[in-house]
Amino acid sequence: MSFWRVAHAVLRKDLSAEWRRKEVLTSIVMFGLLTVVTFVFAFDPSRHAREDVVPGCLWTAYLFAGMLGLSRSAAKDSQDGGMQALLVSPADRGAIYLGKLLSHAIFMVVGEVIVLLFAVLWFDLGSRQLTPAFFAFIVLGTLGFVAVGTVFAAVSQKTRLKEVMLPLLLLPVLSPIVMAAVEGTALVMSPEGPRGMKSWLQILVAFDIVFTTLGFLVYGYVLEE
């Protein structure tokens, strides 16, 4: 099979399985909404500036809900035996990684949109905050997250403490991406203007390129070890 046919087959398999079960997306949405609700009660929106609360709220929701979703997705692959079937085939390992990355990215984006809609209502966000730069940080941060998370989700499935190992492995590596995403989102919402925002965007782009390339190169070794 060609590279793109393999990637498309993996993506289609994940999307059709999720359409039937709705396990990964439900996990992301419910955990994300729970996190946002917790922030709403902990930080009264009428007493705290949006730029002080919303960036941390959104990225905490996205980060931990995403890790739960990645863990569910990897566990599903392990239980169904779908990944083992791919490994015994001559399919390109990089194409498998690309298919998994795209499926995880779609699950994350759909979950993030739903969580963001509720955050807009609860924190009274408007066009002043929801700018193209805001969504650029969301997209770039999500891409970096799934690029790293797709690899480490596969690694964690080979350990005894699967659910515990994923955040332990993932959080230290994701620190630069999380820092850039949170700081950049805060600058977008700051009334003082987006000074310094470009440098945070450049950091995110650089890390996305590096992590996606590394994931593409090592994913096959991770699966076969």
Side-chain angles (χ1 to χ4, degrees):
M1 294 179 69
S2 69
F3 180 93
W4 296 108
R5 286 183 65 187
V6 172
H8 180 263
V10 173
L11 174 61
R12 185 175 59 185
K13 176 187 74 69
D14 284 357
L15 293 181
S16 61
E18 182 61 20
W19 180 259
R20 292 193 303 270
R21 301 179 183 179
K22 298 179 177 62
E23 294 177 1
V24 177
L25 187 57
T26 301
S27 302
I28 293 174
V29 171
M30 296 308 296
F31 195 93
L33 289 178
L34 179 62
T35 304
V36 173
V37 169
T38 302
F39 269 79
V40 169
F41 283 107
F43 303 96
D44 186 350
S46 63
R47 284 194 257 171
H48 295 83
R50 294 186 187 94
E51 62 269 21
D52 294 335
V53 179
V54 174
C57 170
L58 284 179
W59 283 107
T60 300
Y62 293 163
L63 182 65
F64 288 99
M67 283 193 290
L68 181 59
L70 287 173
S71 181
R72 286 288 181 90
S73 177
K76 182 174 62 177
D77 287 336
S78 179
Q79 293 167 1
D80 293 348
M83 193 58 70
Q84 290 300 320
L86 287 171
L87 289 177
V88 299
S89 72
D92 189 294
R93 288 0 183 195
I96 298 174
Y97 172 73
L98 179 59
K100 298 299 293 183
L101 184 148
L102 290 175
S103 66
H104 291 156
I106 290 172
F107 298 151
M108 281 293 298
V109 168
V110 173
E112 286 171 348
V113 169
I114 296 173
V115 171
L116 179 60
L117 290 175
F118 282 90
V120 167
L121 294 174
W122 287 328
F123 289 104
D124 192 24
L125 302 179
S127 58
R128 166 66 184 80
Q129 294 82 27
L130 303 178
T131 63
F134 172 87
F135 291 104
F137 279 107
I138 297 295
V139 170
L140 291 173
T142 301
L143 176 58
F145 172 80
V146 296
V148 181
T150 299
V151 176
F152 282 113
V155 173
S156 68
Q157 289 302 307
K158 299 179 181 296
T159 65
R160 290 184 181 180
L161 303 174
K162 299 178 178 62
E163 292 79 9
V164 177
M165 286 304 298
L166 180 58
L168 288 178
L169 294 170
L170 198 53
L171 289 175
V173 180
L174 282 177
S175 297
I177 291 177
V178 174
M179 180 178 66
V182 172
E183 291 292 338
T185 307
L187 284 175
V188 171
M189 296 188 171
S190 174
E192 299 176 1
R195 290 180 298 175
M197 185 177 65
K198 185 178 179 180
S199 56
W200 290 117
L201 280 172
Q202 291 172 339
I203 290 172
L204 276 177
V205 170
F207 274 102
D208 285 357
I209 293 172
V210 170
F211 286 141
T212 303
T213 303
L214 287 176
F216 185 85
L217 293 174
V218 306
Y219 193 66
Y221 297 104
V222 169
L223 293 179
E224 293 171 1
E225 285 296 326

